[in-house]
Amino acid sequence: MRHSLGPLFRRATVGVLALAAVWAASSPPAAAPAAAPAPEAESLSFTERYRSLQHGGIVRAANASITCRAAQRPSCPDAQAGGSGVNGDFDMFYVDVDRDPNTYNSSRAEVRLPNGARVTYARLYWGGNLRVGEQKPPEDNGRVLIAEPGGEYKQLLADTLVGHRVMDGMDAFQASADVTQLLREGGAGLYTVAQINIAMGRSTAGAWGGWTLLVAYENPAEPLRHLAVRDGFTPLRSGTGQEIRLSGLGFAAGAWGRAGLVTYNGDRGTTGDSLTVTTGQTESVLTNSANPRDDVLNSTISEPGADAARVPAHANHLGYDSDVFDLGSGLQQAGDEATFRIRSQQDAAWAGVLFVAVDARR
């Protein structure tokens, strides 16, 4: 049974994270008042969202909110296990893990924080396609539900412009909101995000959507690092890509560094997409075991080392990417600036977030 989002949010909410992302943990349970839709723009240039020089780093939790129907055997289970299926191949339906009859999509992922860490900034990004086998209205693009480990759902409203554009057979959007206080109080563990405004069904463009929770932290036991988050919402048209230049980094030759990328509607097996970093005169392709150098937009959620827990923990997220890369050889030369380029020759993909942590030069 389908539900309208307004009643769903009102029934499931016990607190409200409003446009200014202020959460009063001591507030008694109350129904959330109806909120006006967040302001939108068709395209958002990548701009600085957060920057800091501190001992610590950035971690992230992420998951998809829609997948193929398991009854489509064997192709759907094969794709979920890491096979080459793409979202346009399937009748897509919601992931829903919370056993709450008032939500129709929900998924979980783990925030892993080191001992002694103090959260300095946190932001949730979510997005999806509103036009597939059905057309979802855009009024709820800027609202979701979020629950900390062991906690109840709280309504979260976008606190900045929502990127929203109809293009290439898709009705695509990305929204975000500050959740710093929630993460300071909730700490490490499994977070649940529900009610992302995504259409289900089947179309040539395919259904897709998911969320990424970024958490910057301070930890005196770790090196001094430059931390930066840039976000926007731009289509990666054939070959033109997206360039994001970070200056004032001040890193030594061979410095440790990591970069993370959130994109939408990348198809596994469709080559011609890449993420590169240029320092000085050297351009390096970022890759890892989950992301081939010419197919980085391949529906994965990956990071160096063991992946954080996710529920469900599919290997192919059918149109949602949230990946973290070691910068490795990309920082072989000392410098103060790094330029990242996201390219897509064939995928009708969208870029949403880039985040970076780099050891500072002493």
Side-chain angles (χ1 to χ4, degrees):
M1 177 179 177
R2 301 298 305 284
H3 303 272
S4 67
L5 283 177
L8 286 173
F9 281 111
R10 287 192 289 272
R11 288 196 295 269
T13 300
V14 298
V16 176
L17 284 161
L19 289 175
V22 177
W23 177 45
S26 60
S27 297
E40 297 185 342
E42 284 196 349
S43 182
L44 298 175
S45 299
F46 270 73
T47 56
E48 184 173 290
R49 179 64 59 186
Y50 172 79
R51 187 166 190 140
S52 180
L53 176 62
Q54 63 189 42
H55 294 269
I58 297 177
V59 295
R60 71 95 176 85
N63 214 333
S65 301
I66 194 164
T67 188
C68 51
R69 292 182 185 268
Q72 299 169 93
R73 296 182 179 276
S75 55
C76 175
D78 288 348
Q80 291 173 337
S84 59
V86 301
N87 51 7
D89 293 340
F90 298 105
D91 180 17
M92 300 281 283
F93 194 67
Y94 302 115
V95 171
D96 196 11
V97 302
D98 63 6
R99 299 183 180 179
D100 184 337
N102 293 318
T103 65
Y104 65 84
N105 70 59
S106 61
S107 56
R108 296 190 175 103
E110 179 190 15
V111 171
R112 295 192 297 195
L113 290 166
N115 292 334
R118 183 183 72 87
V119 173
T120 55
Y121 183 76
R123 192 166 194 86
L124 179 70
Y125 293 89
W126 66 93
N129 182 10
L130 308 181
R131 179 187 295 172
V132 194
E134 59 176 348
Q135 174 70 57
K136 295 293 289 292
E139 286 77 15
D140 289 305
N141 288 349
R143 67 175 78 196
V144 291
L145 300 178
I146 185 170
E148 73 275 30
E152 301 290 336
Y153 278 133
K154 298 154 187 69
Q155 183 176 216
L156 179 65
L157 304 180
D159 61 6
T160 188
L161 275 174
V162 173
H164 179 205
R165 186 168 182 175
V166 177
M167 182 178 173
D168 295 330
M170 294 174 284
D171 190 346
F173 83 94
Q174 177 182 266
S176 71
D178 188 316
V179 288
T180 304
Q181 189 61 33
L182 178 66
L183 267 292
R184 284 175 176 167
E185 299 192 14
L190 282 171
Y191 283 75
T192 308
V193 176
Q195 301 303 80
I196 297 180
N197 197 25
I198 307 171
M200 65 178 186
R202 185 169 187 171
S203 71
T204 301
W208 48 264
W211 57 274
T212 291
L213 175 56
L214 295 186
V215 185
Y217 65 89
E218 188 174 41
N219 185 358
E222 296 190 29
L224 184 67
R225 291 184 175 128
H226 296 281
L227 309 181
V229 178
R230 295 284 185 95
D231 58 35
F233 191 61
T234 59
L236 300 173
R237 292 189 180 91
S238 297
T240 58
Q242 174 68 46
E243 180 178 290
I244 304 166
R245 182 170 299 172
L246 301 178
S247 59
L249 295 179
F251 53 88
W256 178 95
R258 284 182 178 170
L261 178 66
V262 177
T263 59
Y264 303 91
N265 199 42
D267 288 335
R268 179 165 301 197
T270 302
T271 58
D273 41 79
S274 62
L275 172 64
T276 64
V277 59
T278 300
T279 57
Q281 301 300 313
T282 303
E283 182 178 59
S284 300
V285 178
L286 300 183
T287 184
N288 57 31
S289 60
N291 293 273
R293 58 186 293 121
D294 65 343
D295 189 17
V296 71
L297 309 183
N298 65 344
S299 301
T300 52
I301 296 174
S302 68
E303 58 196 298
D307 288 343
R310 299 191 309 276
V311 184
H314 296 151
N316 182 344
H317 295 275
L318 296 171
Y320 187 72
D321 280 274
S322 182
D323 295 292
V324 181
F325 301 86
D326 280 322
L327 291 179
S329 60
L331 301 179
Q332 288 306 301
Q333 301 179 41
D336 296 290
E337 183 175 282
T339 300
F340 294 85
R341 291 182 178 87
I342 313 160
R343 299 181 176 95
S344 178
Q345 298 290 339
Q346 300 185 72
D347 280 329
W350 302 76
V353 189
L354 178 81
F355 55 98
V356 176
V358 176
D359 281 359
R361 183 173 59 230
R362 293 182 177 275

